[in-house]
Amino acid sequence: MRALPNHHYSSPVVSSLLTWMLKFGYHKSRSQIGSVLIGFMLVAVGLIWIGRSNLHAQVQFNQTSAMDESDTRSITKANFLFHFSASNQWPSSKMEGPFRLAIVGNPSLHAILADKYGMKVIGSQQLEIIAFDDALALERAPFSHVIYCEESGETLERIAKYIEGQPVLLISDASDGLEHGALINFVAVKNRIRYEINSEEASKRNLLIGNRILSWAVKLVP
Amino acid sequence: MKIDIQSALLACVLVIAAAGSDLNAQTEADRAAALGREGRWTEARQLLAPVIATQAYQADGHAWFVMGFIHKELHKMHGEYGADAPERASAVMCFQRGLQVGLIASERQMAAEAMDFLARSYFREAIGMVEGFTWGSTDDIFALFGQYEAIQLSLDPMRSFAPERSDLNRYLGQAHAMLLESGSPQNSAESKAIFDAAIGHYKAALEGNPGDYSTQYNLAITLYNEGVRKLKTIDHKTSMFELMEIQDVCVELFEQALRPMEDAHAQQPERLETLKGLMTLHYALSQKEESGRYKTQIERILSNR
């Protein structure tokens, strides 16, 4: 089992080509022979490469499997964000125009959202998913209904201060996210992604958190 | 004593002619062997097959040996395949009969070599089927491997096939995993059956060879990738309840993957692919600190290179 059948792709091909080449070249001029030689060498190299590719496929079979590189947490978080956008209610003044979902500092999450949810609608509003490198860039952008901030600490606090009093659902993924102004914060519970909600702060901002979202929260503040 | 040179020469010629002219040999076995030497294997079988089972040949090891070679060559000529290829099976049976009845030393050695060749032909065929694996061919592969084992055991009853069987299971595990990756399963039931088969083969491989790095790593990867595949089914139609359910299933798979990945890592602590595997698994399990610890190790190894 360990010794798989041997493969001899290159040698016989090359030797027969060379033999044929010599026979052919015997009747030709030196320059023609040179061209023919180069042509056949290119063909031979191609055939050797094909042979090695096949061999490589055999060897690959003996090696280890490839790990799926997808960002698992972002796939889950993207769906949560879609539900947070679709299952809560914003003041009527914010229910016109596009529904903006801003992602600060997580390109992978933005890519998944754009791919899977980019063309969807929230109520009657077209969902727009926008990526920002940092909080500063966000401040220069138009109003966003939902902001997800990957970073905690000062960045999160800065965003929270910037949107103070506005009906913006700020979401974080930090151990102290709610303390720094987020309304919803992702937490890990038994190796799963869950979330906690500061419902009091949400109501202060005229955001009505849906029952479905409330019912799945692991912690409600207060 | 006066020697007549002409008579002596004639005698020598007759002896040589008798020895050289195989077609004039006395027994059907010898005549069949002579036909075989001329490449007339079908005629050789027609000559010997009707008589080989008769009482006269029951104890004639040489005849069974010749019949074995005829079947073996016919097997090669016909390009037979499959565990029940008739010429190959008959060849093995005839050689085994010859060895039972008794052969001269040279024939005994040749019979053993021929059986080894036939055994390996089953083996090569099994490997070929794994390499070009199609769903549902596992029974045929194991039937071929079983023939290989049976023949080799008849030659060497003390031989152990645990390592080879373990390798075969590992290859089959990987073949099933590759089938899953290709996205060829028609529906979720087929996909689950292929996944279960992959895991079953990897576990069987580990029973035979518990310390095999590749099997441990591949088992972990297959479990992890299955979890990721399920996660990827999440879209805008997925309800919160379904999302929680999918998470439960995935986390269970990721947790199962952790153990074999740790076992593989324990064997080769500096190997980047297992460190990356552990980093990714802990990340998928929302264990950020552990994931970060492996990330730091990877960075340390890379910076030392």
Side-chain angles (χ1 to χ4, degrees), chain A residues 58 62 69 73 116 192, chain B residues 131 171 232 234 248 286:
Chain A
Q58 294 269 357
N62 279 321
E69 303 272 351
R73 280 178 55 80
K116 287 212 166 181
R192 289 148 176 83
Chain B
E131 285 172 343
Y171 288 160
K232 283 178 173 174
I234 294 172
D248 287 346
S286 300

Side-chain angles (χ1 to χ4, degrees), chain A residues 82-174:
Chain A
F82 181 70
H83 282 294
F84 296 154
S85 302
S87 303
N88 298 322
Q89 200 174 333
W90 272 258
S92 55
S93 62
K94 299 296 179 188
M95 291 174 76
E96 288 174 356
F99 187 99
R100 292 198 186 88
L101 167 54
I103 306 296
V104 182
N106 187 335
S108 157
L109 176 60
H110 174 259
I112 291 164
L113 276 164
D115 177 43
K116 287 212 166 181
Y117 308 93
M119 300 299 286
K120 303 294 173 287
V121 288
I122 303 295
S124 59
Q125 295 172 280
Q126 182 72 43
L127 179 60
E128 271 186 20
I129 299 152
I130 315 151
F132 296 99
D133 292 335
D134 50 41
L136 198 66
L138 178 78
E139 287 170 17
R140 292 196 292 264
F143 174 84
S144 291
H145 296 75
V146 178
I147 298 172
Y148 171 79
C149 179
E150 183 77 7
E151 293 176 52
S152 60
E154 281 181 21
T155 309
L156 187 61
E157 270 182 7
R158 180 177 177 145
I159 295 172
K161 199 171 175 186
Y162 170 68
I163 60 166
E164 200 170 356
Q166 295 183 61
V168 177
L169 185 62
L170 180 58
I171 302 165
S172 63
D173 184 5

Side-chain angles (χ1 to χ4, degrees), chain B residues 60-100:
Chain B
D60 186 343
H62 172 70
W64 287 103
F65 169 77
V66 171
M67 196 71 216
F69 260 97
I70 292 168
H71 284 302
K72 173 174 159 283
E73 293 306 317
L74 285 169
H75 160 68
K76 283 157 67 181
M77 268 172 61
H78 296 167
E80 284 184 327
Y81 59 89
D84 52 357
E87 296 292 356
R88 181 161 53 178
S90 299
V92 172
M93 188 273 288
C94 289
F95 284 128
Q96 282 174 334
R97 184 70 184 266
L99 286 166
Q100 274 173 6

